[in-house]
Structure formats: C-alpha cells, structure tokens
Amino acid sequence: MIDRLGLSALKSVSFGQILDALLPVLATLAALLIGAIMLLLLGANPLEAYGALLEGAFGSTNALADTLVKATPLLLVGLGTCIAFRGGVTNIGGEGQFVAGALGATMIGLWLPDWPGWIVIMFAMIAGFIGGAIWGGIPGVLKARFNVNEILSTIMMNQIAVQAMNFLLIGPLIDPVQLERASRIPQTARLSRPFDLPRLVPTRLHLGAAIAVVLAILVYILLWRTTLGYRIRAVGLNPDASRYAGINVERHIVLSLLLSGALAGLAGAIQVYGVHHRMFTDGSATGFTGNAGFNGIVAALFGQLHPLGTIPASFFFGGLLVGANKLQRAVQVPSALITTLNGLVVVFVVSSDIWRRNRAKRRVSEEEMLSAEESVEVPVVTRAPQAAETGLEDSETQASREAML
C-alpha cells in the first residue's frame, strides 16, 4: 500500500515541476562553467580554484561560521524580498533600508552607553526594525496613493539613505577620537562591549544567525498560515479580484513594503551589533552593507521566493562570497574576476527565474485552453438521437397512410 502511494505521488510530480525546482541550481552551474572558462583564459586551474572556494567557505569551523555570518543579512533581506514579491511589489531598496536600520540601532547604542547590555540590544533591534520599516513604507505609500513606480522610488531612497549616512558619520555621529587626531575617518565610536551580540567563541558566529532562521519560519507562518498573509498573497496575485472581494489593496501594498523594509533594517541592526560594532562608510552603501541589500534579492529568487527556501539559498551565497576570497589568494587571479563570477551567478539565477515565470504562465494558459475545449458541447452529438427518433416517427406515419389507401 505504501509503495503504491509512493508511486502515485511520484507520478503526480511532472517533469516541468522538477525542472522548475532545479532551475536555480542549473543556472548556478552554468555560471560556474563560464567562470571556469575565464579561469582557463587567465592561466588558472578551475578545479584548484573551485576547490579553494569550497575550502574557504566550508573547510573548517571558522570558515563555516564566517559563511553563516555572511548569510545572515542575506537571509533577512531575502525574507523581506519574499514578502514584497508575494504582495505584488518589487523592493529594490534593501540597501537603503539596511542603512536606515543600522543608523537607528547605532544611535541607540551611542546614546545609552551606561544602560544594561540586554536592554540596549533589544531597543536597538526594535529601532532597526522601525527604521527599515519607515524607509520601506515611504515607497509603499507613494505606490498606493499616487501609483509611483516602487522600483524607482526604492532605488532613489537608497541614495538618500547613503547621503544621510555620509553626513551623519562625518558630522554628528563621528568618532570623537577621529576629531582629536584630525583624521576625520567617517565612522562612529566603537559600541560598548556589553552591547555585542552573544557569539560562539572562538568563531565570529553570533546570535543573529539564529534570529534570522526563526524569522524565516515566522514569515512562512505569516504568509501561508494567517489571514493577513493570505490577503497579501491575494493582492499580489490579482489586485482587482482582491478589491472585489473586499480586501483593501492599497493598505496591503503599503504593509508588504513596510514589512520588507523592516526585515532589511533589522539586518542592518544585527550587522552593527553582531559584526562591526560601529558604523562606517567609504562614501557608498557597499562599504558598509557589502551589497547585502542586492544579494539578498538574488538569494530570495534562488529560494523561489519562499521563506524556507531562502534559508539554504542564503547559506549558499554566503559560502560563495566567503570562499571567493580564498579562491583569489589560491590561484592569484584579479579581484575583478571574483566580482565577475558573483555577477554571473546573479544574472543566471535572475534569468532562470524569469524563464520559470514565463513557463508557468504558458502552462496556465494551456490548461485553461484545454479546460475550455472540454467544456464545449458538440451540437451534432446532442441532436443525433432526436434526429433518429424523428426519422422513425416519419416512416411509421407513411406506413399507416399506405395501409389506409
């Protein structure tokens, strides 16, 4: 009986569904294959290079811990991306929301230096959450009230956040030591030691990684096990039908971007209290965020925009980023190749997701056409019996008339 159930379950899974699930993996392998060709052109051994990448990401306890630390902000930003995309909006403002949350959390630590560590950490996480929510909610309101394209507005909010960070770090929030030395390096003072997130000594793995995994489970429950999540997904699938059903579409658009920004802001707060313990800038967002705001989007796409799928996807991309440093040192290739390799993975994964979506649309349209053809009744089939009966009646009438004559 169990074998029959297993076989029926396997038969119900189509080749297309398996292909859709494997598309991100196949896209990554294709990107790495092109990277291998580039390594050969540079005179490096691809097997040695990728072996160094794997060793740098997973070869030791410290390497594995660094991979988890790198994956933590990607996971949080990716979770926010899942909520936004499921709500039918596109959030490209993870970098700015990350910075906004980090600024809010840093201010709490600088303004409350004598408070107990656990209270400051709790307030800092809340401040980061609220800061990111505000930065994500502004484009949400613009989208809901004035139909402003959220892609453009979130990108512009990134630049505003970066310029605000640059102003604060060379002005009100600059480290007093930098003023005394007249070096004016744009960074804040180091936060008090009691404010550091608990970590697994002697590695850099901190509590933020566990917080991110718990939040992934909670986001899954929110989207698929609550009425609010059902409404968010309904608005994302069909706003007109949702409005007809009585759902406030504008409110849920704002809520989707607000929650998405809040998780990115929380990622910024965790990055400050778990990794850097201060804020700094090189004039761009990348110097502090490490492109987590954009890489988190790719991790979400790799995980098929599912909160639970984003967990292994973030771990994979974290390993790719950490192992790339070991790859560069092992085979002595230019740093530009590492950037190119990461870019190839991003392009191939995003392209595979677009292709998967187009295939899904075609599959739905084909199913609708088949169901429409099956529901159409053939007039000849329904009227044939009636025609036959009428023919019999006419022959009987003619026979009776001939008998009477």
Side-chain angles (χ1 to χ4, degrees):
M1 183 68 180
I2 296 176
D3 293 337
R4 291 179 181 178
L5 291 174
L7 289 174
S8 62
L10 288 174
K11 291 179 181 178
S12 64
V13 179
S14 65
F15 174 76
Q17 291 174 326
I18 298 175
L19 180 62
D20 289 343
L22 294 177
L23 265 181
V25 178
L26 297 176
T28 303
L29 292 176
L32 294 177
L33 179 61
I34 295 179
I37 296 173
M38 297 173 67
L39 287 167
L40 286 173
L41 294 176
L42 291 172
N45 185 346
L47 295 178
E48 180 185 355
Y50 288 144
L53 188 148
L54 291 175
E55 183 181 355
F58 314 110
S60 65
T61 303
N62 284 327
L64 186 60
D66 288 343
T67 296
L68 291 171
V69 169
K70 183 68 73 173
T72 298
L74 303 184
L75 176 55
L76 289 169
V77 174
L79 293 175
T81 303
C82 291
I83 295 176
F85 273 74
R86 294 291 178 180
V89 287
T90 305
N91 182 14
I92 312 295
E95 292 278 285
Q97 294 147 15
F98 191 100
V99 169
L103 283 172
T106 303
M107 290 179 186
I108 294 294
L110 295 176
W111 293 345
L112 305 174
D114 300 325
W115 283 44
W118 67 273
I119 295 180
V120 172
I121 291 174
M122 181 178 64
F123 283 171
M125 298 300 109
I126 295 174
F129 191 89
I130 294 174
I134 293 173
W135 221 250
I138 293 173
V141 173
L142 294 175
K143 171 71 173 180
R145 297 299 181 187
F146 307 105
N147 199 27
V148 176
N149 188 294
E150 75 276 10
I151 297 177
L152 298 178
S153 60
T154 50
I155 290 176
M156 289 190 288
M157 292 295 288
N158 286 346
Q159 298 304 317
I160 296 172
V162 170
Q163 297 306 320
M165 175 179 64
N166 293 338
F167 168 75
L168 290 173
L169 295 189
I170 62 175
L173 298 182
I174 192 171
D175 187 357
V177 176
Q178 300 300 324
L179 292 177
E180 293 175 2
R181 297 175 179 174
S183 55
R184 299 190 68 84
I185 296 176
Q187 65 181 24
T188 67
R190 207 273 186 204
L191 298 180
S192 299
R193 299 283 178 181
F195 300 165
D196 295 354
L197 285 177
R199 66 186 183 94
L200 183 64
V201 180
T203 68
R204 297 198 309 146
L205 182 61
H206 54 77
L207 183 63
I211 294 175
V213 173
V214 171
L215 284 174
I217 298 172
L218 293 178
V219 169
Y220 165 74
I221 294 173
L222 169 69
L223 288 176
W224 274 275
R225 293 293 183 268
T226 66
T227 304
L228 176 61
Y230 173 80
R231 290 174 177 171
I232 289 175
R233 290 187 293 114
V235 170
L237 290 172
N238 195 324
D240 295 330
S242 300
R243 186 177 287 107
Y244 182 78
I247 298 175
N248 191 325
V249 173
E250 288 75 17
R251 180 186 301 170
H252 287 83
I253 287 175
V254 175
L255 184 60
S256 298
L257 281 170
L258 189 144
L259 290 175
S260 180
L263 289 169
L266 181 61
I270 289 177
Q271 194 74 356
V272 171
Y273 282 74
V275 180
H276 300 311
H277 312 295
R278 70 169 80 219
M279 277 203 73
F280 54 88
T281 180
D282 62 355
S284 67
T286 306
F288 173 72
T289 66
N291 271 332
F294 294 119
N295 290 331
I297 298 175
V298 182
L301 293 174
F302 194 95
Q304 308 253 331
L305 295 174
H306 194 286
L308 300 183
T310 308
I311 297 175
S314 302
F315 181 72
F316 169 78
F317 274 96
L320 184 64
L321 294 172
V322 172
N325 297 326
K326 182 68 178 293
L327 183 153
Q328 183 182 358
R329 294 193 302 270
V331 296
Q332 296 297 308
V333 294
S335 59
L337 178 66
I338 306 304
T339 305
T340 303
L341 184 60
N342 292 335
L344 283 172
V345 174
V346 170
V347 170
F348 273 74
V349 170
V350 173
S351 300
S352 69
D353 184 74
I354 295 173
W355 189 63
R356 179 182 64 83
R357 288 171 177 271
N358 291 335
R359 286 185 69 254
K361 289 179 181 179
R362 287 197 301 269
R363 189 162 55 243
V364 170
S365 62
E366 290 173 358
E367 291 175 355
E368 290 177 351
M369 290 177 61
L370 288 174
S371 61
E373 291 175 358
E374 292 175 356
S375 62
V376 173
E377 296 181 356
V378 181
V380 177
V381 175
T382 56
R383 287 200 291 263
Q386 296 178 359
E389 292 174 2
T390 305
L392 288 174
E393 290 178 357
D394 292 341
S395 61
E396 290 176 358
T397 304
Q398 291 177 359
S400 61
R401 287 177 180 177
E402 290 176 358
M404 290 175 65
L405 292 173

